[in-house]
Amino acid sequence: MRAQRFVASLAGLTLLATAAACSDAGAENQPQPPKSGGTLRVVVSAKPAHLDPQRIATATEANISRLTTRTLTTFRSEPGEAASEIVGDLATDAGRPSEGNRVWDFQLKDDIRWEDGSPITCADVKYGVERSFSSLFSVAQPYAKTYLAGTDNYAGPFVGGNNNGKGLQSVQCVDNRNIKFTLSQPVGDFGYTAAMSVFAPVLAKQDTKGEYDKKPFSNGPYKLQENTDQQLVYVRNQYWDRKSDSVRKAYPDKIVIEANGDLPTVTSNLIQSEGDWAEAIDLDKNVAPNFVQQVVNDPALSSRAVQGSYGGIRYLSLNTKRMPELDCRRALVFAFNKRKFRAAMGGSVFGDYANTMIAPQLKAHKDFDLYDSTANVEGKPDVAMKLMDDQRNKGKPCATTLTLAIPEQKDIRRLAATMVETYQQIGIQIKVNGIDPETYFDVIGNPANTNDLLWAGWIPDWANGSAVIPPLFDGRLIPAKANATNNQNYALLNDPEINNEITAALEESVPERQYLLWGELDEKIASKAAAIPIIYMKALRMSGTKVRGGFIHPQFGQPDLCALGLA
């Protein structure tokens, strides 16, 4: 099936010293693989805001969700190029297209069960997709609304929104095991779309709606035992059958996920690897900058650091509604100092300078540099000031005070300080708006937020431009309802020409032609100065001496939780 999909392999995943796994300090050659049992301890910078599969928004949430939530298809849990391939998960295969990629059929496997032992049926998948349309909670991933036919007036399966009891007609249960999706346009990589958690099943009788975030009902190898302010505790789900799941390794008996935003302390504890820290790994934060050289240059430490590049990008979104003048936004792009920003991150080990939104690992990448930043990584403040002077002379001066939204964390505050200093040089004062990390993406996901610049990052949901350009820049996906929190087009760019070209690219059935269309769109969007690409991200995550199986999965830009275990 891989040859038929619009997917680019994410090559170049590497690990420091040990190629594909974490190693014990001082160990020689390749370490032994993980063994079953024990408690794996996972550190995250902030507790995930969402566990409900239809509300998953971030890479960390998506990574954690695979412990309890299976989807029709999923990505392999293997290092290297194989990680970019999908396989059947709840479904027997990666989907069967027909009618020119407008209809997709999936068949559920035998003997797949919920945590209470009841079988997973087509009705559960249909209900899960349908609940994503409800106005009772925000939906992070736009793919169901974007791709399925007949969704314009559909409002979900709850009170008053079940389409007279018929549900969403484009999601049809042929029988208990067979499900048919009818799309509004041809989508050649819909098998990859079905790997997104927005298409995950939910058992209707267990749906607590807004409260489902606190304890989703499991069909994966683990179930959530405890959910406190700073901690999630997962234990084995007795009804998960390893024979039906070729992806999840499920080595540990228990997985404890704990929030700790003190990055230098976390890194130090992992380096020392004493007590429980020997069984711990930092999932979503890189090694603290002051420890980078120690880790990289010490063979014993580097052997248990998990490193890789993965097609993700760190960028700054520019609110086009609050800053409608193109040259004012262009001035911000020209003035940005990428060298200073990357140095504060810890250097080149954490990323390469970016000029595009589609990373080089994707076949849809087009190499361009509209703002001449490759040769000017410290920016071109003189050009920026000239643009601002011209705007002032036109009687449309650029704002000299702007608000920058960031998650309120020490390491991000440090990076924001470089932006404050950079823009002071062109006469712009930056007010940093630190937002609770647990709710950050909900806050900036409201189109009515009042931030001018927005800290953001993006890891493609699959390896094609179709998982970059539409979710980030299709103006038709900007929610119209008040208090929405599910917008990912933080720039609020709504350009009819770009919207139409997105539709044309999605409908292109020849992969090579589609790649070219996405690259051209990337360049056209760059000319609108809707975002500042900063860094093509790399990961350097520290683990304790007993952790095994670590590799950076391109789907998450993190160590894959499905592969981790203990010595």
Side-chain angles (χ1 to χ4, degrees):
M1 299 295 287
R2 175 175 168 80
Q4 300 174 23
R5 300 290 180 264
F6 301 161
V7 66
S9 65
L10 297 183
L13 294 178
T14 59
L15 298 180
L16 283 174
T18 59
C22 302
S23 168
D24 209 334
E28 295 180 358
N29 302 319
Q30 293 293 331
Q32 293 181 351
K35 295 183 178 179
S36 295
T39 299
L40 175 69
R41 302 181 185 277
V42 179
V43 183
V44 292
S45 55
K47 185 184 170 186
H50 299 297
L51 301 175
D52 184 326
Q54 272 72 44
R55 301 180 75 177
I56 295 298
T58 69
T60 301
E61 292 168 0
N63 196 355
I64 292 172
S65 75
R66 288 216 296 180
L67 300 177
T68 59
T69 299
R70 297 178 66 180
T71 42
L72 290 171
T73 65
T74 196
F75 290 83
R76 294 184 184 276
S77 181
E78 301 173 22
E81 293 187 15
S84 296
E85 300 176 3
I86 56 166
V87 294
D89 189 4
L90 292 173
T92 57
D93 56 31
R96 300 176 299 282
S98 60
E99 298 185 26
N101 292 327
R102 285 181 179 270
V103 175
W104 282 75
D105 287 274
F106 298 85
Q107 183 179 74
L108 297 177
K109 294 175 180 175
D110 288 322
D111 202 29
I112 45 176
R113 299 185 177 275
W114 293 101
E115 66 175 79
D116 64 353
S118 59
I120 300 169
T121 67
C122 175
D124 300 332
V125 178
K126 179 177 172 65
Y127 178 78
V129 176
E130 289 177 340
R131 74 192 290 272
S132 73
F133 288 83
S134 172
S135 61
L136 293 184
F137 53 84
S138 64
V139 182
Q141 297 171 331
Y143 303 114
K145 292 182 178 180
T146 305
Y147 291 161
L148 295 179
T151 64
D152 289 346
N153 298 313
Y154 184 66
F158 305 145
V159 178
N162 199 23
N163 196 15
N164 297 320
K166 297 180 181 179
L168 191 59
Q169 296 299 287
S170 52
V171 185
Q172 179 185 355
C173 284
V174 179
D175 54 38
N176 277 342
R177 288 186 57 206
N178 289 279
I179 188 165
K180 183 187 296 290
F181 295 95
T182 301
L183 311 184
S184 59
Q185 63 190 62
V187 180
D189 50 8
F190 186 74
Y192 286 83
T193 310
M196 301 298 103
S197 64
V198 72
F199 286 90
V202 171
L203 188 60
K205 68 180 182 180
Q206 296 291 340
D207 188 4
T208 52
K209 300 180 176 64
E211 297 297 305
Y212 199 66
D213 244 350
K214 297 179 180 178
K215 193 180 187 302
F217 205 59
S218 177
N219 53 46
Y222 297 93
K223 58 185 179 181
L224 186 58
Q225 181 185 64
E226 184 179 339
N227 184 346
T228 64
D229 288 344
Q230 296 296 314
Q231 196 174 80
L232 301 170
V233 178
Y234 292 88
V235 295
R236 290 193 182 276
N237 172 14
Q238 63 176 320
Y239 289 104
W240 173 75
D241 187 351
R242 188 180 299 277
K243 291 182 292 185
S244 76
D245 191 340
S246 63
V247 172
R248 296 162 183 82
K249 308 301 190 292
Y251 292 118
D253 289 331
K254 180 186 288 188
I255 298 177
V256 177
I257 298 174
E258 186 163 353
N260 188 334
D262 188 349
L263 181 59
T265 299
V266 169
T267 300
S268 177
N269 287 337
L270 288 169
I271 287 174
Q272 296 300 318
S273 194
E274 296 177 351
D276 288 345
W277 287 97
E279 301 172 343
I281 187 168
D282 196 329
L283 191 70
D284 66 346
K285 284 292 185 181
N286 288 315
V287 169
N290 53 312
F291 288 102
V292 169
Q293 292 306 312
Q294 178 185 357
V295 170
V296 171
N297 294 322
D298 184 330
L301 295 179
S302 66
S303 69
R304 51 187 174 93
V306 187
Q307 184 183 34
S309 59
Y310 48 91
I313 184 167
R314 175 67 59 200
Y315 69 100
L316 199 63
S317 193
L318 308 184
N319 190 324
T320 61
K321 294 298 183 184
R322 292 179 58 82
M323 297 182 290
E325 295 297 329
L326 174 60
D327 278 352
C328 292
R329 301 196 303 270
R330 293 179 66 225
L332 294 172
V333 182
F334 274 114
F336 197 92
N337 190 321
K338 296 178 184 179
R339 184 203 61 77
K340 187 175 293 185
F341 181 96
R342 190 173 76 169
M345 286 183 71
S348 60
V349 70
F350 293 135
D352 299 320
Y353 296 125
N355 303 317
T356 67
M357 292 299 294
I358 300 177
Q361 287 92 342
L362 278 63
K363 289 184 179 178
H365 171 78
K366 180 179 181 180
D367 191 15
F368 60 85
D369 185 7
L370 299 187
Y371 299 92
D372 196 24
S373 64
T374 301
N376 298 275
V377 294
E378 296 186 353
K380 301 179 76 171
D382 53 335
V383 175
M385 288 188 286
K386 175 66 166 57
L387 288 168
M388 294 175 67
D389 287 341
D390 290 345
Q391 283 296 122
R392 191 178 302 110
N393 293 334
K394 292 177 185 177
K396 297 181 179 181
C398 302
T400 55
T401 300
L402 299 173
T403 300
L404 166 65
I406 64 166
E408 185 56 79
Q409 295 173 327
K410 290 181 181 178
D411 56 322
I412 298 179
R413 272 276 173 181
R414 185 179 62 254
L415 296 173
T418 71
M419 292 181 263
V420 172
E421 183 179 342
T422 290
Y423 286 127
Q424 282 177 342
Q425 296 178 8
I426 61 170
I428 294 177
Q429 179 185 358
I430 298 293
K431 294 182 177 179
V432 180
N433 178 22
I435 300 170
D436 184 344
E438 288 189 28
T439 60
Y440 177 73
F441 289 101
D442 286 345
V443 172
I444 69 170
N446 182 348
N449 80 83
T450 57
N451 298 288
D452 304 294
L453 313 174
L454 302 98
W455 165 278
W458 188 253
I459 301 170
D461 287 324
W462 57 89
N464 190 12
S466 57
V468 179
I469 300 300
L472 299 187
F473 300 109
D474 190 334
R476 296 164 296 188
L477 298 181
I478 300 172
K481 66 180 181 180
N483 299 318
T485 60
N486 57 319
N487 177 52
Q488 293 173 317
N489 182 346
Y490 307 127
L492 301 180
L493 183 68
N494 191 4
D495 185 299
E497 182 181 359
I498 287 174
N499 295 345
N500 290 335
E501 291 184 20
I502 286 173
T503 297
L506 287 170
E507 292 181 349
E508 175 54 63
S509 60
V510 179
E512 288 73 20
R513 292 177 185 171
Q514 194 186 87
Y515 298 148
L516 290 173
L517 292 175
W518 293 127
E520 291 169 1
L521 266 167
D522 194 4
E523 185 171 17
K524 183 169 291 188
I525 291 166
S527 73
K528 306 288 184 182
I532 305 176
I534 308 172
I535 294 291
Y536 300 125
M537 293 187 287
K538 297 178 182 177
L540 179 65
R541 307 289 156 82
M542 200 65 203
S543 68
T545 53
K546 294 182 180 179
V547 176
R548 298 289 186 271
F551 69 92
I552 299 298
H553 198 294
Q555 185 68 10
F556 315 113
Q558 302 174 353
D560 184 2
L561 273 179
C562 288
L564 292 173
L566 302 171

